[in-house]
Short mmCIF file of all heavy atoms in Angstrom, two decimals:
data_model
loop_
_atom_site.label_atom_id
_atom_site.label_comp_id
_atom_site.label_asym_id
_atom_site.label_seq_id
_atom_site.Cartn_x
_atom_site.Cartn_y
_atom_site.Cartn_z
N GLY A 1 54.56 -38.63 129.73
CA GLY A 1 55.48 -37.64 129.20
C GLY A 1 55.52 -36.39 130.06
O GLY A 1 55.24 -36.43 131.26
N SER A 2 55.84 -35.29 129.42
CA SER A 2 56.07 -34.04 130.14
C SER A 2 54.77 -33.42 130.63
O SER A 2 53.68 -33.72 130.13
CB SER A 2 56.79 -33.05 129.23
OG SER A 2 55.92 -32.60 128.21
N ASN A 3 54.89 -32.51 131.60
CA ASN A 3 53.72 -31.82 132.13
C ASN A 3 53.01 -31.02 131.05
O ASN A 3 51.78 -31.05 130.94
CB ASN A 3 54.14 -30.89 133.26
CG ASN A 3 54.52 -31.64 134.52
OD1 ASN A 3 54.70 -32.86 134.49
ND2 ASN A 3 54.66 -30.93 135.61
N ARG A 4 53.79 -30.28 130.26
CA ARG A 4 53.19 -29.41 129.26
C ARG A 4 52.37 -30.21 128.25
O ARG A 4 51.21 -29.87 127.97
CB ARG A 4 54.28 -28.61 128.55
CG ARG A 4 53.76 -27.65 127.50
CD ARG A 4 54.91 -26.90 126.84
NE ARG A 4 54.44 -26.02 125.78
CZ ARG A 4 55.24 -25.31 124.99
NH1 ARG A 4 56.56 -25.38 125.15
NH2 ARG A 4 54.74 -24.54 124.05
N ALA A 5 52.96 -31.26 127.72
CA ALA A 5 52.24 -32.08 126.74
C ALA A 5 51.07 -32.79 127.38
O ALA A 5 49.97 -32.88 126.81
CB ALA A 5 53.20 -33.08 126.10
N GLY A 6 51.28 -33.31 128.60
CA GLY A 6 50.21 -34.05 129.27
C GLY A 6 49.00 -33.21 129.59
O GLY A 6 47.85 -33.65 129.43
N GLU A 7 49.23 -32.00 130.05
CA GLU A 7 48.11 -31.11 130.36
C GLU A 7 47.32 -30.77 129.09
O GLU A 7 46.08 -30.69 129.11
CB GLU A 7 48.63 -29.85 131.03
CG GLU A 7 49.14 -30.09 132.45
CD GLU A 7 49.93 -28.92 133.01
OE1 GLU A 7 50.06 -27.90 132.28
OE2 GLU A 7 50.42 -29.02 134.15
N TYR A 8 48.05 -30.57 127.99
CA TYR A 8 47.40 -30.28 126.70
C TYR A 8 46.57 -31.47 126.24
O TYR A 8 45.38 -31.31 125.86
CB TYR A 8 48.48 -29.93 125.68
CG TYR A 8 47.97 -29.83 124.26
CD1 TYR A 8 47.24 -28.73 123.84
CD2 TYR A 8 48.25 -30.84 123.33
CE1 TYR A 8 46.77 -28.63 122.53
CE2 TYR A 8 47.80 -30.75 122.02
CZ TYR A 8 47.06 -29.65 121.63
OH TYR A 8 46.61 -29.56 120.35
N ILE A 9 47.15 -32.65 126.27
CA ILE A 9 46.44 -33.84 125.81
C ILE A 9 45.23 -34.13 126.70
O ILE A 9 44.14 -34.46 126.20
CB ILE A 9 47.41 -35.05 125.77
CG1 ILE A 9 48.44 -34.85 124.66
CG2 ILE A 9 46.65 -36.36 125.58
CD1 ILE A 9 49.62 -35.80 124.72
N TYR A 10 45.41 -33.97 128.00
CA TYR A 10 44.31 -34.26 128.93
C TYR A 10 43.15 -33.29 128.71
O TYR A 10 41.98 -33.72 128.62
CB TYR A 10 44.81 -34.16 130.37
CG TYR A 10 43.74 -34.49 131.38
CD1 TYR A 10 43.47 -35.81 131.73
CD2 TYR A 10 42.98 -33.48 131.98
CE1 TYR A 10 42.48 -36.12 132.65
CE2 TYR A 10 42.00 -33.78 132.91
CZ TYR A 10 41.75 -35.10 133.23
OH TYR A 10 40.77 -35.40 134.13
N SER A 11 43.44 -32.00 128.61
CA SER A 11 42.36 -31.03 128.49
C SER A 11 41.65 -31.14 127.13
O SER A 11 40.42 -31.15 127.07
CB SER A 11 42.90 -29.61 128.70
OG SER A 11 43.91 -29.31 127.75
N ARG A 12 42.42 -31.24 126.07
CA ARG A 12 41.80 -31.31 124.74
C ARG A 12 41.12 -32.66 124.53
O ARG A 12 40.01 -32.72 123.96
CB ARG A 12 42.85 -31.05 123.66
CG ARG A 12 42.31 -31.01 122.25
CD ARG A 12 43.30 -30.36 121.31
NE ARG A 12 42.98 -30.58 119.91
CZ ARG A 12 43.63 -30.04 118.89
NH1 ARG A 12 44.66 -29.24 119.13
NH2 ARG A 12 43.28 -30.28 117.64
N GLY A 13 41.75 -33.75 124.97
CA GLY A 13 41.13 -35.06 124.81
C GLY A 13 39.86 -35.19 125.62
O GLY A 13 38.85 -35.72 125.15
N SER A 14 39.88 -34.69 126.86
CA SER A 14 38.68 -34.75 127.70
C SER A 14 37.55 -33.91 127.10
O SER A 14 36.38 -34.30 127.15
CB SER A 14 39.01 -34.27 129.11
OG SER A 14 39.98 -35.09 129.72
N ALA A 15 37.91 -32.76 126.55
CA ALA A 15 36.90 -31.91 125.91
C ALA A 15 36.25 -32.61 124.73
O ALA A 15 35.09 -32.32 124.39
CB ALA A 15 37.54 -30.59 125.47
N ASN A 16 36.98 -33.54 124.11
CA ASN A 16 36.43 -34.31 123.00
C ASN A 16 35.68 -35.56 123.46
O ASN A 16 35.28 -36.38 122.64
CB ASN A 16 37.55 -34.72 122.04
CG ASN A 16 38.05 -33.57 121.20
OD1 ASN A 16 37.30 -32.63 120.92
ND2 ASN A 16 39.31 -33.62 120.78
N GLY A 17 35.50 -35.68 124.78
CA GLY A 17 34.72 -36.79 125.30
C GLY A 17 35.49 -38.10 125.46
O GLY A 17 34.88 -39.16 125.68
N LYS A 18 36.81 -38.05 125.41
CA LYS A 18 37.60 -39.26 125.55
C LYS A 18 38.00 -39.48 127.01
O LYS A 18 38.12 -38.53 127.79
CB LYS A 18 38.89 -39.16 124.70
CG LYS A 18 38.65 -38.93 123.22
CD LYS A 18 39.97 -38.89 122.48
CE LYS A 18 39.79 -38.42 121.04
NZ LYS A 18 38.96 -39.30 120.24
N ARG A 19 38.24 -40.72 127.35
CA ARG A 19 38.87 -41.02 128.62
C ARG A 19 40.38 -40.81 128.43
O ARG A 19 40.97 -41.37 127.51
CB ARG A 19 38.61 -42.47 129.04
CG ARG A 19 37.14 -42.79 129.21
CD ARG A 19 36.96 -44.19 129.76
NE ARG A 19 35.56 -44.57 129.79
CZ ARG A 19 35.10 -45.71 130.33
NH1 ARG A 19 35.96 -46.56 130.88
NH2 ARG A 19 33.82 -45.99 130.32
N VAL A 20 40.99 -40.02 129.28
CA VAL A 20 42.41 -39.71 129.15
C VAL A 20 43.13 -40.03 130.45
O VAL A 20 42.74 -39.56 131.52
CB VAL A 20 42.65 -38.23 128.77
CG1 VAL A 20 44.14 -37.97 128.58
CG2 VAL A 20 41.88 -37.86 127.51
N GLN A 21 44.15 -40.84 130.32
CA GLN A 21 45.03 -41.15 131.45
C GLN A 21 46.38 -40.49 131.15
O GLN A 21 47.03 -40.82 130.16
CB GLN A 21 45.19 -42.66 131.58
CG GLN A 21 46.26 -43.10 132.55
CD GLN A 21 46.41 -44.60 132.57
OE1 GLN A 21 45.64 -45.29 133.22
NE2 GLN A 21 47.38 -45.12 131.84
N ALA A 22 46.79 -39.54 131.96
CA ALA A 22 48.02 -38.78 131.70
C ALA A 22 48.97 -38.89 132.88
O ALA A 22 48.66 -38.45 133.99
CB ALA A 22 47.69 -37.31 131.41
N ASN A 23 50.11 -39.51 132.64
CA ASN A 23 51.16 -39.61 133.64
C ASN A 23 52.24 -38.59 133.31
O ASN A 23 52.93 -38.71 132.29
CB ASN A 23 51.76 -41.02 133.64
CG ASN A 23 50.74 -42.07 134.03
OD1 ASN A 23 50.50 -42.30 135.20
ND2 ASN A 23 50.14 -42.71 133.04
N LEU A 24 52.40 -37.58 134.17
CA LEU A 24 53.26 -36.44 133.84
C LEU A 24 54.59 -36.53 134.60
O LEU A 24 54.94 -37.54 135.18
CB LEU A 24 52.53 -35.15 134.16
CG LEU A 24 51.10 -35.05 133.63
CD1 LEU A 24 50.52 -33.67 133.90
CD2 LEU A 24 51.03 -35.36 132.15
N GLY A 25 55.33 -35.43 134.55
CA GLY A 25 56.64 -35.39 135.18
C GLY A 25 56.55 -35.32 136.69
O GLY A 25 55.47 -35.28 137.29
N ALA A 26 57.72 -35.28 137.33
CA ALA A 26 57.75 -35.25 138.80
C ALA A 26 59.02 -34.54 139.26
O ALA A 26 59.98 -34.39 138.51
CB ALA A 26 57.72 -36.67 139.36
N LYS A 27 58.99 -34.10 140.49
CA LYS A 27 60.16 -33.50 141.13
C LYS A 27 60.36 -34.25 142.43
O LYS A 27 59.58 -34.10 143.37
CB LYS A 27 59.92 -32.01 141.39
CG LYS A 27 61.16 -31.25 141.82
CD LYS A 27 62.13 -31.09 140.66
CE LYS A 27 63.29 -30.19 141.01
NZ LYS A 27 64.26 -30.10 139.90
N ASN A 28 61.41 -35.07 142.49
CA ASN A 28 61.57 -35.99 143.60
C ASN A 28 62.65 -35.52 144.58
O ASN A 28 63.74 -35.11 144.18
CB ASN A 28 61.92 -37.38 143.07
CG ASN A 28 60.85 -37.88 142.13
OD1 ASN A 28 59.69 -37.97 142.48
ND2 ASN A 28 61.24 -38.19 140.90
N HIS A 29 62.32 -35.60 145.85
CA HIS A 29 63.23 -35.19 146.92
C HIS A 29 63.54 -36.39 147.82
O HIS A 29 62.70 -37.28 147.99
CB HIS A 29 62.60 -34.10 147.80
CG HIS A 29 62.32 -32.81 147.07
ND1 HIS A 29 61.50 -32.75 145.97
CD2 HIS A 29 62.77 -31.55 147.29
CE1 HIS A 29 61.45 -31.49 145.54
NE2 HIS A 29 62.20 -30.75 146.33
#
């Protein structure tokens, strides 16, 4: 999903001791 949601899920999930795989947005040229 989006960068904002992914960063939130990754940081909070990791802090809870979970393995988190987060695929975020991109800017392609």
Side-chain angles (χ1 to χ4, degrees):
S2 70
N3 288 13
R4 181 180 177 184
E7 289 168 1
Y8 170 75
I9 291 167
Y10 182 83
S11 59
R12 183 163 166 175
S14 298
N16 285 332
K18 302 182 190 298
R19 300 186 186 186
V20 182
Q21 170 183 279
N23 296 277
L24 311 185
K27 191 71 172 177
N28 302 303
H29 296 59

